[in-house]
Amino acid sequence: MEKLYARVIIDISHEKVDRPFCYEVPELLRKEIEVGACVEVPFGKGNTLRKGYVIELMDVPDFDPNLIKEIQDVKTGVQVENKLIKLAHWIREEYGSTMIQALQTVLPVKQKIKQKENRILIRKCTQQDALEMAEACEKKHQGAKARVLRALAEDREISYTLLTQKLHISASTIQSLKKADLIEEVSERAYRNPLKDSTFLADKKVLSISQQKVVDDIWADYEQGVRKTYLIHGITGSGKTEVYMELIEKVVADGKSVIMLIPEIALTYQTVMRFQRRFGDRVSILNSTLSAGEKFDQCERAKKGEIDIMIGPRSALFAPFTQIGLILIDEEHETTYKSETMPKYHAREVAEELARLHGASVVLGSATPSMESYYKATVGEYGFFTLKERVTGGTLPSVYIEDLREELRKGNRSIFSDRLQELIRDRLAKKEQIMLFLNRRGYSGFISCRSCGHVIKCPHCDVSLSKHANGRMVCHYCGYEQPAVTACPNCGSKYVLGFKAGTEKIEEEFRRMFGEVSILRMDRDTTKTKDSYEEILSQFMEEKAQVLIGTQMIVKGHDFPKVTLVGILAADLSLGVNDYRAGERTFQLLTQAAGRAGRGVLPGEVVIQSYQPEHYSIRWAAKQNYESFYQEELMYRSLGGYPPIANMMMVQIFGEEENAGIAFGEKMKQLLKEFALEHRMVIIGPANAGIGKIKDVYRSCLILKHPNKEVLKKAKNQLEQWLSTCETEGKIVQFDFNPMNAF
Ligand code: ADP
Ligand code: ZN
Ligand code: ZN
């Protein structure tokens, strides 16, 4: 019998996952040893027995066979680590990376840190008194005090860190409220609120018939032991979160744990409180404001069974629960669910694998589902639900599309179309709020004609060319390039430009045209500190300003009842981005942005300005018609051989020398030539990346396309094999399946 060897890591909660050691698998234990198995091995000079985990099995040892020791024993009983290591192994196979990289992704990192005591603030006065006090403080312009009082009027107790982090309250403000005997502080250990349970129940809503149907159908499956993925397509405000909470409650009552993914940007104070109010201290939240030590503590609580629900961005998937019953992904179309570093995993796919390992169900929700999920839902691979109405009412806004080419012809050179100007004046006079949205994404490279709207595209791909520093225009999907144009190839106009108007420029322009108005601006510059994002939003909510100007950050999940006008200044900007997801992303952004208007009792209006008003993404977003957009987009994806119809894998090459990446890519292409012929796999490139150099590292890529992802994975395995043996001369190769962003 051939010998079998295992790589074992001894201490997996170490700051860096330890170096693996090679052991021989004795014949007697063969049946029981698999990746993830917990084993006992002799370690060190004294051969003391230590606990370790198998992370890989192999036929050939990577160590001198004469010195290799044998695994002594296998521990039975499923451990948390077992499933996480299996998951890491799957991630490694699926996306390509080293096992250590995969392990570092899934295992919580331990760091020595002092356990912080949880401080809690409690309201000492009645709810009515707190509200009256809050009003009095507002009159005296004591905004911070008022915010604390309002929050405490709603919830009698609030965690100190939540208050300081999410509501930006300083220690001195809290001190002065304590002095006034309005609040008191206790440590969590000393305090357990007996009323807690009843306050949670108070927040439970009676579900509407359509909400209840979703819950009933999913639950019926669950009780029959059916586990699958479901998609809930429902506009914002259609009650998806209530459905999630109802399902969570049922699964938790069944003794299982729940993971709920929410994009970091939507993890606002309101959202967090909503879950805490319903589930109390059985819920924990991971976000980027937590330190590594705090994150580790949260994971420990999950492992010990102190919590049932973990909420957070994509890394919350790796909360070490022993028995997961349900994984929810809200706003499942968000690009942040894809990791940008190796392994470049997609949280949706990992969630499905994790659910398989645990026997759990997956529920996805979105107002504008990803093409991938909607496709699977329509072909019956996913359970599928639609929530059509807003629970709290409100009317859909009227949407106008303004043709910026026409404005230019009329002699209007400002960033605001005539109609938008007129509506802005109207709202300023009525003292209603305005949101102006500029999609800044990718405005640098994209070249379009300001007279006719023509976007200069690659003749071989349906993506726009990007302008390179050397003056040439390049397609980085196929490598096609041509010299930069000085006149529009369509109409001859000399106004062929990259659009450049940052939010700052818009603010300036706004003041010049409409005079002194209170304006808030939200972009990367004004949100450098962790909490400034929420600070700006709460200021706008409190009507401290009449106008909010911002990038896509302002369109995510917030309700501003006083906003009656939304202006989208140049809807084309994301269409210029050179990737096949541009149409989808534009549609999602415009739909979200348009949905900002008319949330309250006042009806809203939306102005979409565009150089290509006839583009289907823009037309369907204006009509808020997801299905029609989907059909049209699917046709283009299928013509181009893109997901969800086909799969692609980008092989990214990073190197310190210019052009070396291309030569290296050429080698890989040669290597795959036969395989490609045999499987009819398309290879495009190698070509320079859209951003050819970042931080002195040159980037180039090779694209592989095939309807079947398994074929691409085989190609990846071949490349990984070859890379492990060849001389890469410092070049780094990464794999990105169905990339989310332009490279
Ligand atoms: P979504 O997650 O789809 O945006 P939410 O679940 O947040 O929708 O619901 C939107 C608003 O409607 C929330 O304020 C929520 O409390 C309220 N709501 C949802 N379902 C109900 C219901 N069945 N009865 C009363 N209010 C509801
Ligand atoms: Zn033109
Ligand atoms: Zn091309």
Side-chain angles (χ1 to χ4, degrees), residues 413-428:
R413 282 174 189 276
S414 90
I415 2 185
F416 307 104
S417 60
D418 284 348
R419 185 186 300 266
L420 186 55
Q421 290 183 29
E422 184 192 311
L423 291 174
I424 288 173
R425 292 213 166 83
D426 175 71
R427 296 310 194 272
L428 290 177

Side-chain angles (χ1 to χ4, degrees), residues 5 86 91 141 177 226 250 255 285 297 343 347 425 475 532-533 654 659 698 739:
Y5 300 90
K86 275 190 187 158
I91 287 176
H141 298 285
L177 286 166
V226 176
K250 285 177 177 298
I285 284 119
D297 289 347
R425 292 213 166 83
C475 168
S532 43
Y533 168 74
F654 302 84
N659 300 325
Y698 288 90

